[in-house]
Amino acid sequence: MENSAVTTYPVISVISNRWSPRSFDPARLLDTDTIGSLFEAARWAPSASNEQPWRYLIGVNFNEEHRAILDCISESNGRWAQNAPLLIIAVGKTTRNDLPNRHFAHDVGLSLENLFLQAIGMGLHCHYMAGFSVDKVREALGVPEGFEPITAAAVGYKGSPDLLSDDLKEREQQGRQRKAFSDFVFSGNWEHPFPEL
Ligand SMILES: Cc1cc2nc3c(=O)[nH]c(=O)nc-3n(C[C@H](O)[C@H](O)[C@H](O)COP(=O)(O)O)c2cc1C
């Protein structure tokens, strides 16, 4: 698949096929079964004490709620995200039993990545976004105290890069880079790379 990860060791295809495109096809809308499968995948993520701290605000197929989310997304992300039929704001519940839940953001990430991998398996593409206004989300979408907007996401079918402006098209075609195993897999001591990788 286009832009698949070039891996040293084999990985399952939904992992190698996931990447972050900016070209989405606005003509291909999402049906309810598709959206259902995505949030089913999100629902079955693990979480500390099974707290399931994730909440999702969504806008679908360019409806009013889609516009409301787009209004919260930064201008630079909005240029391409506007064409994705599913826009998501992932929100986390920050406490468990009235005490801070140290793992709430971790668990929201697990849930959203479950959704992403399900999407890839269904031929969709996805792109995370940190570039959105937390304050606008809180105000416009009514997120209460005790909940933290964490990440925005765009999901849809891949569109032609020709739909993008030249600068975005160039970024779309840039190669993908990753750290070496020795930079992040340690054994026995910090900064002691696991020698077999
Ligand atoms: C939490 C998070 C926030 C991100 N925010 C943005 C963003 O605001 N805009 C953007 O274009 N990409 C964003 N990305 C995408 C990353 O740039 C991308 O995942 C990274 O460069 C690796 O590329 P790949 O996803 O194609 O493997 C974000 C990714 C994550 C996980």
Side-chain angles (χ1 to χ4, degrees), residues 69 72-73 77 80 87-90 112 116 127-132 137 149-154:
I69 291 176
C72 299
I73 289 173
N77 284 332
W80 51 266
L87 292 179
I88 300 173
I89 304 285
L112 193 51
F116 270 32
H127 198 139
Y128 291 104
M129 289 170 279
F132 72 96
V137 164
I150 298 176
T151 313

Side-chain angles (χ1 to χ4, degrees), residues 108-165:
V108 173
L110 291 181
S111 171
L112 193 51
E113 184 68 356
N114 255 23
L115 185 156
F116 270 32
L117 296 181
Q118 178 69 32
I120 299 300
M122 292 163 55
L124 291 152
H125 280 276
C126 324
H127 198 139
Y128 291 104
M129 289 170 279
F132 72 96
S133 165
V134 170
D135 290 344
K136 269 196 193 170
V137 164
R138 281 197 177 288
E139 201 181 308
L141 305 175
V143 177
E145 281 302 300
F147 290 84
E148 184 69 28
I150 298 176
T151 313
V155 181
Y157 292 98
K158 178 89 172 51
S160 162
D162 293 337
L163 292 171
L164 298 171
S165 59

Side-chain angles (χ1 to χ4, degrees), residues 3 18-22 74 76-77 80 126-132 150-152 171 176-178:
N3 239 349
R18 188 214 58 79
W19 64 290
S20 300
R22 291 180 175 81
S74 70
S76 58
N77 284 332
W80 51 266
C126 324
H127 198 139
Y128 291 104
M129 289 170 279
F132 72 96
I150 298 176
T151 313
R171 286 171 77 184
R176 300 176 64 207
Q177 311 240 315
R178 285 301 189 267

Side-chain angles (χ1 to χ4, degrees), residues 4-33:
S4 290
V6 177
T7 64
T8 308
Y9 296 94
V11 298
I12 55 176
S13 60
V14 288
I15 290 179
S16 53
N17 288 337
R18 188 214 58 79
W19 64 290
S20 300
R22 291 180 175 81
S23 48
F24 289 94
D25 184 350
R28 292 189 69 185
L29 303 182
L30 302 186
D31 60 30
T32 303
D33 283 348

Side-chain angles (χ1 to χ4, degrees), residues 20 62-63 81 83 144 161:
S20 300
F62 312 104
N63 62 7
N83 286 334

Side-chain angles (χ1 to χ4, degrees), residues 43-119:
R43 177 152 77 137
W44 285 97
S47 61
S49 301
N50 200 19
E51 174 69 14
Q52 303 165 61
W54 47 81
R55 305 288 185 274
Y56 293 104
L57 287 157
I58 68 171
V60 178
N61 296 336
F62 312 104
N63 62 7
E64 206 177 305
E65 293 79 7
H66 186 280
R67 165 55 60 186
I69 291 176
L70 193 59
D71 283 346
C72 299
I73 289 173
S74 70
E75 193 269 332
S76 58
N77 284 332
R79 284 167 68 203
W80 51 266
Q82 63 181 331
N83 286 334
L86 175 59
L87 292 179
I88 300 173
I89 304 285
V91 177
K93 179 172 182 277
T94 60
T95 58
R96 179 173 62 237
N97 299 331
D98 294 326
L99 294 171
N101 176 5
R102 200 165 72 81
H103 292 99
F104 85 93
H106 172 275
D107 293 350
V108 173
L110 291 181
S111 171
L112 193 51
E113 184 68 356
N114 255 23
L115 185 156
F116 270 32
L117 296 181
Q118 178 69 32

